[in-house]
């Protein structure tokens, strides 16, 4: 276990006196702002137990810089409900307007906030580290990029879920599988690709780059366009593994326009188990993510931080399950379009 830093070590690191460091850690007012920030940054980096604690009764900043659809909506709802169960108030910052720059930098100076839950934050790991160094407690939910090891994060088991979906397709006899992946820079895309590739490798298949399409935004329209490209190849895939249920719905439209029957001519699998996947014909085979439970877990870990409890596990993954419905079936040999 990492040894916690002492006041003397923080003083040596910052070049300040022990008395000055003590005044900051005791939250006394007679300290210059830049000095306070330097001490808190060093304390956060070195790991000091005496950082000023915000009262658990304060508000929890919940940031979701995306539309509250059937993916993000369950997360935000469960966070708000769990925050209130702990006797706190949720301050929700959601929608595309929440993407404005500088949102995180002002949080430590915002009165009445005890901590925050940041959903798929677009900021860099360095920005998150700076927020941590200012002693503002927060949890990252569904991280977009790999967070620093000492930042608390909650996600689902993306590698396992993707492997389950691809193994299901392989078991049905599919070897020519097209993959509609998410944005290249997203951590979840890398994780799911690892799961897909592992399941194909178990069957002795290496995915060809021609069978993979990355989308900048995992939407129905982008799923449609990516599927159209894959299905118009001289030897088309017999199955498509899609980044999420939205892209899978787009793939269903592309298949229908080409006269392909699902699953007789083409199998399609999604990810998330969103409501939209049960409104299609046929209903989508997909990977279930425990979205509401992820929100509850994020609040639970934040409350533990606010109460000063030690967290041995800082990066938590919740289990994923395969939900088999009507959009996947046995492979059919395809030789041409």
């Amino acid at each position: 276990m990492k040894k916690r830093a002492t006041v003397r070590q923080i003083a040596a690191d910052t070049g300040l006196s022990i008395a000055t460091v003590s005044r900051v850690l005791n939250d006394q007012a007679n300290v210059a702002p830049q000095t306070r920030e330097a001490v808190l940054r060093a304390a956060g980096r070195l790991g000091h137990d005496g950082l000023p604690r915000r009262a658990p009764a304060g508000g929890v900043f919940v940031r979701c810089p995306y539309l509250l659809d059937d993916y993000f909506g369950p997360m935000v709802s469960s966070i708000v409900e769990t925050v209130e169960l702990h006797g706190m108030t949720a301050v929700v910052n959601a929608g595309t307007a929440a993407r404005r720059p500088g949102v995180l930098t002002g949080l430590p100076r915002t009165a009445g906030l005890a901590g925050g839950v940041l959903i798929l934050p677009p900021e860099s790991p360095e920005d998150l580290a700076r927020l941590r160094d200012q002693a503002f407690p927060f949890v990252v939910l569904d991280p977009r990029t790999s967070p620093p090891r000492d930042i608390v994060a909650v996600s689902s088991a993306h590698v396992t879920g993707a492997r389950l979906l691809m193994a299901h397709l392989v078991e049905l006899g599919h070897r020519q599988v097209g993959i509609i992946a998410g944005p290249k820079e997203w951590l979840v895309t890398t994780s799911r690709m690892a799961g897909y590739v592992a399941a194909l490798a178990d069957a002795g298949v290496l995915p060809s780059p021609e069978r993979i399409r990355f989308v900048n935004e995992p939407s129905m329209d982008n799923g449609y366009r990516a599927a159209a490209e894959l299905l118009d190849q001289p030897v088309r895939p017999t199955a498509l593994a899609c980044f999420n249920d939205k892209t899978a719905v787009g793939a269903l439209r592309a298949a229908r326009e080409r006269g392909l029957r699902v699953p007789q001519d083409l199998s399609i699998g999604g990810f998330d188990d969103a409501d939209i996947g049960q409104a299609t014909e046929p209903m989508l085979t997909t990977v279930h993510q425990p979205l509401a439970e992820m929100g509850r877990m994020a609040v639970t870990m934040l409350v533990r931080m606010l109460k000063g409890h030690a967290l041995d596990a800082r990066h938590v993954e919740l289990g994923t399950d395969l939900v088999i419905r009507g959009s996947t079936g046995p492979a059919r040999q395809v030789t041409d379009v």
Side-chain angles (χ1 to χ4, degrees), residues 100-326:
R100 62 180 176 82
V103 172
L104 301 188
T105 57
L107 292 180
R109 298 185 298 275
T110 303
L113 288 183
V117 177
L118 310 179
I119 302 174
L120 198 65
E123 287 79 12
S124 69
E126 291 76 20
D127 289 332
L128 297 177
R130 279 191 285 270
L131 182 61
R132 172 207 62 200
D133 292 344
Q134 294 181 72
F136 183 81
F138 67 95
V139 175
V140 174
L141 178 56
D142 200 16
R144 178 183 284 200
T145 57
S146 184
R149 293 182 61 185
D150 56 351
I151 285 180
V152 180
V154 177
S155 63
S156 66
H158 296 292
V159 175
T160 300
R163 188 165 188 162
L164 286 172
L165 175 60
M166 189 61 76
H168 168 64
L169 295 174
V170 166
E171 186 177 355
L172 290 171
H174 296 280
R175 298 297 184 271
Q176 301 179 52
V177 181
I179 298 173
I180 300 178
K184 288 184 177 181
E185 68 275 12
W186 285 17
L187 174 64
V188 61
T189 299
T190 302
S191 299
R192 292 182 190 176
M193 284 298 299
Y196 295 144
V197 171
L200 285 171
D202 288 343
V205 177
L206 292 178
S208 167
E210 288 76 23
R211 295 284 196 216
I212 302 172
R213 293 294 184 276
F214 293 91
V215 298
N216 292 328
E217 180 184 350
S219 64
M220 285 185 280
D221 286 344
N222 285 337
Y224 166 80
R225 283 188 283 269
E229 292 180 9
L230 292 168
L231 296 178
D232 287 342
Q233 292 177 342
V235 180
R236 63 171 173 79
T238 63
L240 296 176
C242 301
F243 178 78
N244 61 4
D245 291 342
K246 287 182 180 179
T247 53
V249 170
L252 283 170
R253 177 159 64 95
R256 185 170 57 250
E257 288 184 357
R258 284 155 179 77
L260 299 175
R261 299 168 299 164
V262 176
Q264 293 90 340
D265 301 319
L266 177 72
S267 287
I268 296 178
F271 210 108
D272 292 342
D273 194 17
D275 291 343
I276 192 174
Q278 299 183 55
T280 59
E281 180 57 44
M283 292 194 294
L284 278 176
T285 291
T286 187
V287 176
H288 174 77
Q289 286 198 79
L291 301 176
E293 184 61 26
M294 289 163 61
R296 288 188 285 268
M297 176 63 72
V299 175
T300 298
M301 297 187 75
L302 177 64
V303 170
R304 291 181 61 195
M305 293 169 65
L306 294 174
K307 292 183 177 180
H309 297 171
L311 297 178
D312 291 333
R314 290 183 173 267
H315 291 189
V316 176
E317 289 188 351
L318 300 186
T320 48
D321 299 301
L322 181 65
V323 181
I324 300 175
R325 299 195 180 104

